[in-house]
Amino acid sequence: MMDNVCVLTGTCLLTVLSCVGGSAATAHDDGVVAITLTDPSPTGLVPLRVAASEASSALAGDYQPQRAHDGSLQSKWVAAVESTPQSPQWITLRLAAARDVSAVAVYGEALDNDGLVAGAIQVLAPDGTDYQTVLDVPAAPARAWLATFPPVATTAVRLLITRSGGPSPHTDVYEIRLYGPPLPPHVMRAHATQQLAAAEAMLALDLEGLTTSPDAGLEQWVGLAPQKLALRARYADVRRRLEAWDQHAPSSHVAFCDEVDRLAAQARQLHDAHGELTRVWTDRCAEVAAARSADAETAASPSAQRVVGQGAAVRVALSQDSGLWEATWLGACHAALRGVAFAVEVDGTSFTPDGVPVTSRPFESHLGSGTELVQTWGHGVRVERRLQVFNDRPLVVVGGSVCNETDQEVSLGSAALLNLARDGTGWWHAGQALQSPGVVTLSGDSLWVCEPEGTELESADTDRSYAGTMLLALAQRNPATMLLVGFLTGREARPRVSARFRALESGTALSATQDFLGRRLGPGERIELDSVAVTASEDPWSSLEAYGNDVAAAGVAPARTRPTSLWCSWYAHRMAMTEDLVLANAAVAAQHFQPLGMEIIQLDHGWQRGDVTGDWIPNERFPHGLPWLAEQLRSKYGFRLGLWISPTDVADVSDLYRDHADWLLRDENGRPLRNWQWYWKPNPDCYELDASHPDAADFLRETFARLAGEGVSYFKIDFLAPCGGDHFV
């Protein structure tokens, strides 16, 4: 069947079953073999569709049980609780219909890195109450293994975990795949007919009951209507194909039955979701409908407790009692925010605008004009929060400031410019409550990340988290909606954004924060917090473009409007780069790539002294120096010279470290703090410049000025993130 690596004999887990409430059954004498991540399906067996799953525990974030059967070896389910024989962890995979199961493939983490070390395969007994062990796995042979046993009819398979490999108490399982013998053609046809009838019964039910909503009913607002239409269209197509069963090749029947199983499972899921959607969204939809129907006269005459800012595309209401605000986007956009809080930590005290009067006034900025809602509070330390609602844009900008009016310096902690209320009343919505949105964000400080939306009709326990730096753009295709939260500037502290989505409830968490790490604010000093844009629209591309334009307009330097085209030495030569090789590549680039727009020849890591960080002067592989090389590139080939540089990283073998250790970031005891070990030979320990030290700041300015004076007009700047790490003092 497959290449044997080792075989384990199946036995009963009587002690384990007694712990989980199952009844023991005689295990079949079959076995487990190690497989690789790329092994094909077992010979003579077909994959079985998993309709739903649940687990004993799951690590918070994107580690829910459905990740173990999503078809991807890149995602995983993580059991959050330590597994022992007395207290095993488990994941149950439910089939779309009763089937014979005869093999289970498990793909996990390495055995010594939170991988599954021991466990068992169990199946749900015919009476549907107890699980029976069909195969014991006392010692997993590898991170990926295949368990085989004689076919057993069941509707659910459980993977039991009694021991994992550490070092953490968690167990990482990337994928579980179930296999069984193929059904005879007449049985497959009967099975497909039965499943299609079940789907028809679910889809025929009247799910149109609620009409209290912003537009055409709750179904449209939460994304139920497009899901139903799509399923009904699929049902009609599948029914036509089932009627033409004999006209299709027998080899296509297995895939067709799998499609019918998937349709039936999703129809049931859609039906089951309706009750929870009704419970969660009836009042929400009524509230949003009222906000969307509020006319300009009502908006201009706010109550004593709620102050309203109204634009053509968005309506904002701010509660003076709680300090929470909400936003409702108008027109075709299905997006809303509720229960958004604000807090700034100063000297360990959280400053929040509870019960603070609101001033409403017109404003005009480089982004447009509209209404600004302002709150100012505090004695000694004065905090201000501003909400700008734009007249003709679907945009809200949140900003603020902290002013120290005392005669002592104060310490700044975290600033949450935007954070959903912690009491659970806050929520956000962007088009769908049944499917998690896709996301565009920044990972770390410079890596753009784009992840797709979740699978259609995600299970009710789907809980997806999002986190990034600067920007979080959450998008759905049906109905097309994007909710975007992004900092416009990042001058004062690192901007962080995060969100959470739970199926049927929509957004359950959303934040835009900065941590000032104890930064001191002297007497009479004032700091302007970096502002945050919050926008929504049915066109995600225009939302991203508008945000990019707004960030560019807020920047100090002019935005570059076209891409940079260059040759980089790293991918061709790494540390073997020399002056002669650079010029040889420039000759080729001038002939073939300069006509296409290439303009820069960039020396990457390996041009500097010692091949380490700290001393930014050429090494022996560049004997003529940078001015000579820059002139050669310009006069002979028409190129500009670029350099890689890691200006804040300092190796302990550099002259800079030896002569100026007092310029480095430190630990709590005042000693220079080692940050990491350099990847490349001679692999020195590395430290970080403290740019708040006047002499270190002068060194940075002088280094760039000197290199620019030597003909360098482009810098690839690397490894900046560590110098902002909160492990330094």
Side-chain angles (χ1 to χ4, degrees):
M1 181 180 61
M2 306 185 77
D3 293 336
N4 273 346
V5 175
C6 65
V7 177
L8 308 175
T9 302
T11 59
C12 291
L13 282 181
L14 291 173
T15 57
V16 172
L17 285 170
S18 66
C19 294
V20 297
S23 62
T26 302
H28 300 293
D29 185 17
D30 218 289
V32 177
V33 296
I35 58 176
T36 70
L37 301 182
T38 57
D39 275 347
S41 299
T43 303
L45 301 180
V46 296
L48 304 180
R49 173 156 185 80
V50 176
S53 61
E54 59 264 6
S56 54
S57 66
L59 191 65
D62 296 332
Y63 303 109
Q64 302 305 307
Q66 62 267 25
R67 300 300 182 192
H69 56 90
D70 60 2
S72 171
L73 289 172
Q74 305 303 312
S75 60
K76 61 183 176 180
W77 163 66
V78 178
V81 178
E82 184 174 4
S83 301
T84 67
Q86 294 73 35
S87 181
Q89 293 297 293
W90 52 264
I91 178 172
T92 296
L93 308 179
R94 299 195 178 277
L95 298 168
R99 289 291 303 271
D100 282 350
V101 181
S102 57
V104 178
V106 176
Y107 302 85
E109 186 55 88
L111 296 183
D112 60 352
N113 188 33
D114 294 337
L116 189 159
V117 172
I121 304 296
Q122 301 179 321
V123 299
L124 187 64
D127 62 8
T129 57
D130 293 334
Y131 281 88
Q132 301 175 333
T133 295
V134 294
L135 193 68
D136 180 13
V137 185
R143 63 181 299 182
W145 45 271
L146 179 74
T148 56
F149 41 87
V152 53
T154 188
T155 57
V157 176
R158 172 178 284 181
L159 171 66
L160 204 68
I161 305 169
T162 57
R163 185 160 56 95
S164 61
S168 82
H170 306 148
T171 309
D172 297 0
V173 177
Y174 285 90
E175 196 76 7
I176 305 171
R177 295 171 183 168
L178 310 182
Y179 300 93
L183 299 175
H186 70 282
V187 176
M188 276 194 286
R189 183 171 188 172
H191 173 83
T193 302
Q194 181 185 33
Q195 289 294 89
L196 193 61
E200 182 179 20
M202 291 299 102
L203 293 173
L205 292 176
D206 180 14
L207 301 180
E208 311 284 352
L210 289 170
T211 56
T212 305
S213 71
D215 295 309
L218 177 145
E219 290 190 338
Q220 188 66 35
W221 178 256
V222 300
L224 186 59
Q227 297 277 16
K228 286 172 60 177
L229 289 173
L231 279 186
R232 285 170 175 164
R234 284 173 53 197
Y235 166 79
D237 177 63
V238 168
R239 182 174 180 176
R240 284 192 299 269
R241 290 158 60 192
L242 179 60
E243 291 171 351
W245 174 274
D246 294 331
Q247 300 175 24
H248 299 296
S251 59
S252 68
H253 290 164
V254 171
F256 177 76
C257 283
D258 183 68
E259 185 177 350
V260 176
D261 285 346
R262 185 164 55 251
L263 175 66
Q266 290 182 339
R268 165 60 68 181
Q269 193 173 341
L270 194 69
H271 169 257
D272 293 345
H274 191 257
E276 180 66 10
L277 287 169
T278 300
R279 184 190 69 79
V280 172
W281 286 98
T282 300
D283 291 342
R284 287 184 180 182
C285 283
E287 179 188 328
V288 171
R292 289 168 67 93
S293 64
D295 57 27
E297 182 178 349
T298 303
S301 306
S303 70
Q305 301 305 325
R306 284 168 61 87
V307 181
V308 175
Q310 176 86 40
V314 63
R315 184 175 188 267
V316 169
L318 172 60
S319 167
Q320 295 187 128
D321 276 347
S322 65
L324 303 178
W325 63 275
E326 64 185 48
T328 306
W329 280 267
L330 310 176
C333 183
H334 287 195
L337 272 176
R338 291 294 183 270
V340 187
F342 175 97
V344 176
E345 185 183 18
V346 183
D347 281 342
T349 299
S350 182
F351 284 70
T352 60
D354 309 1
V356 176
V358 179
T359 300
S360 177
R361 64 194 184 196
F363 80 93
E364 187 167 348
S365 73
H366 63 284
L367 300 181
S369 60
T371 301
E372 185 174 58
L373 309 181
V374 183
Q375 292 171 292
T376 305
W377 69 100
H379 300 285
V381 175
R382 299 284 287 172
V383 178
E384 182 174 274
R385 191 259 298 270
R386 299 184 297 273
L387 292 175
Q388 295 180 337
V389 186
F390 288 75
N391 289 331
D392 56 358
R393 298 184 61 185
L395 176 65
V396 181
V397 173
V398 185
S401 63
V402 180
C403 183
N404 181 10
E405 298 177 350
T406 73
D407 57 1
Q408 304 288 327
E409 69 177 14
V410 297
S411 174
L412 301 179
S414 62
L417 285 93
L418 185 150
N419 200 24
L420 292 194
R422 295 186 180 276
D423 61 2
T425 59
W427 53 271
W428 58 266
H429 180 68
Q432 271 281 359
L434 295 162
Q435 183 178 16
S436 60
V439 66
V440 175
T441 188
L442 278 166
S443 175
D445 294 281
S446 60
L447 180 64
W448 283 104
V449 173
C450 181
E451 295 178 352
E453 60 193 359
T455 56
E456 293 181 359
L457 292 172
E458 290 176 302
S459 60
D461 60 355
T462 295
D463 197 338
R464 183 175 177 184
S465 59
Y466 308 84
T469 304
M470 196 78 180
L471 166 69
L472 205 63
L474 302 160
Q476 292 282 6
R477 282 183 293 182
N478 193 9
T481 310
M482 172 174 276
L483 176 66
L484 185 153
V485 176
F487 280 82
L488 294 173
T489 56
R491 299 187 183 116
E492 300 298 340
R494 180 173 296 180
R496 298 188 187 278
V497 284
S498 64
R500 199 172 193 87
F501 174 92
R502 178 174 282 277
L504 306 184
E505 296 180 35
S506 255
T508 58
L510 185 67
S511 69
T513 62
Q514 294 182 287
D515 195 340
F516 289 92
L517 304 174
R519 176 173 167 178
R520 301 291 179 174
L521 197 63
E525 290 185 346
R526 179 178 183 273
I527 184 172
E528 187 73 17
L529 303 176
D530 289 298
S531 55
V532 179
V534 185
T535 185
S537 99
E538 62 274 23
D539 184 350
W541 309 111
S542 64
S543 292
L544 288 169
E545 184 176 12
Y547 170 72
N549 290 337
D550 291 344
V551 170
V556 176
R560 185 176 178 88
T561 57
R562 63 187 180 90
T564 298
S565 179
L566 54 80
W567 174 85
C568 173
S569 65
W570 186 249
Y571 305 100
H573 302 295
R574 300 259 168 167
M575 308 298 290
M577 172 182 56
T578 66
E579 192 177 82
D580 290 341
L581 282 173
V582 169
L583 292 174
N585 278 276
V588 175
Q591 179 180 357
H592 297 286
F593 301 113
Q594 196 174 58
L596 304 177
M598 183 174 284
E599 53 184 320
I600 296 167
I601 299 294
Q602 182 239 306
L603 316 185
D604 213 274
H605 170 44
W607 69 269
Q608 76 281 13
R609 186 166 69 188
D611 294 332
V612 297
T613 55
D615 301 333
W616 302 109
I617 58 177
N619 58 35
E620 67 281 358
R621 295 192 292 275
F622 294 85
H624 292 92
L626 296 180
W628 178 86
L629 182 59
E631 175 58 24
Q632 291 291 304
L633 292 172
R634 185 194 63 78
S635 61
K636 287 188 175 181
Y637 306 113
F639 287 123
R640 296 189 285 124
L641 174 62
L643 284 184
W644 170 92
I645 187 171
S646 179
T648 59
D649 203 276
V650 181
D652 64 1
V653 296
S654 66
D655 289 350
L656 181 63
Y657 178 87
R658 183 193 63 208
D659 298 338
H660 300 292
D662 57 315
W663 293 359
L664 302 174
L665 288 168
R666 300 174 178 275
D667 62 19
E668 62 276 5
N669 297 315
R671 294 186 296 266
L673 179 61
R674 174 188 179 275
N675 186 53
W676 68 321
Q677 187 176 38
W678 192 239
Y679 292 127
W680 302 279
K681 291 183 179 180
N683 305 110
D685 287 338
C686 291
Y687 297 75
E688 294 297 317
L689 274 183
D690 179 359
S692 69
H693 191 294
D695 293 336
D698 287 343
F699 167 78
L700 291 172
R701 280 190 290 268
E702 291 164 2
T703 296
F704 281 96
R706 172 176 53 80
L707 293 172
E710 292 178 349
V712 181
S713 61
Y714 173 89
F715 292 96
K716 173 185 172 182
I717 302 178
D718 210 349
F719 296 108
L720 279 182
C723 70
D726 54 13
H727 54 294
F728 292 114
V729 175

